[in-house]
Amino acid sequence: MISSELLEILCCPETKAKLIMDDNYLVSTDRNSRRRYIIENDIPILLIEKSEQLDLATWKEIMHKHRVKI
């Protein structure tokens, strides 16, 4: 599990947007990129080429779930 202190300093490598933890992923709060990064063995893999871009509906669902204002 990623500590809240670490989560506070991590950001999306593509846009520098804040990341939120959703299950075993870190999701960018940037509406345009909508990147999702996997966490493997408690290590976030913050490589753009290993991330996936979420469709807008899925991204909005995650933001709503975590009460992120969009």
Side-chain angles (χ1 to χ4, degrees), residues 2-52:
I2 294 178
S3 71
S4 58
E5 292 85 12
L6 180 57
L7 190 56
E8 280 297 315
I9 62 172
L10 291 176
C11 65
C12 175
E14 181 178 31
T15 65
K16 307 304 183 227
K18 179 180 169 116
L19 297 170
I20 57 168
M21 194 163 10
D22 184 57
D23 298 324
N24 205 36
Y25 294 93
L26 291 175
V27 180
S28 174
T29 56
D30 181 73
R31 181 186 188 100
N32 294 322
S33 69
R34 302 183 307 275
R35 293 276 178 204
R36 178 163 74 172
Y37 303 91
I38 194 162
I39 301 169
E40 294 178 346
N41 300 318
D42 293 333
I43 300 170
I45 309 301
L46 296 176
L47 299 171
I48 296 167
E49 59 271 10
K50 297 242 177 183
S51 71
E52 67 177 303

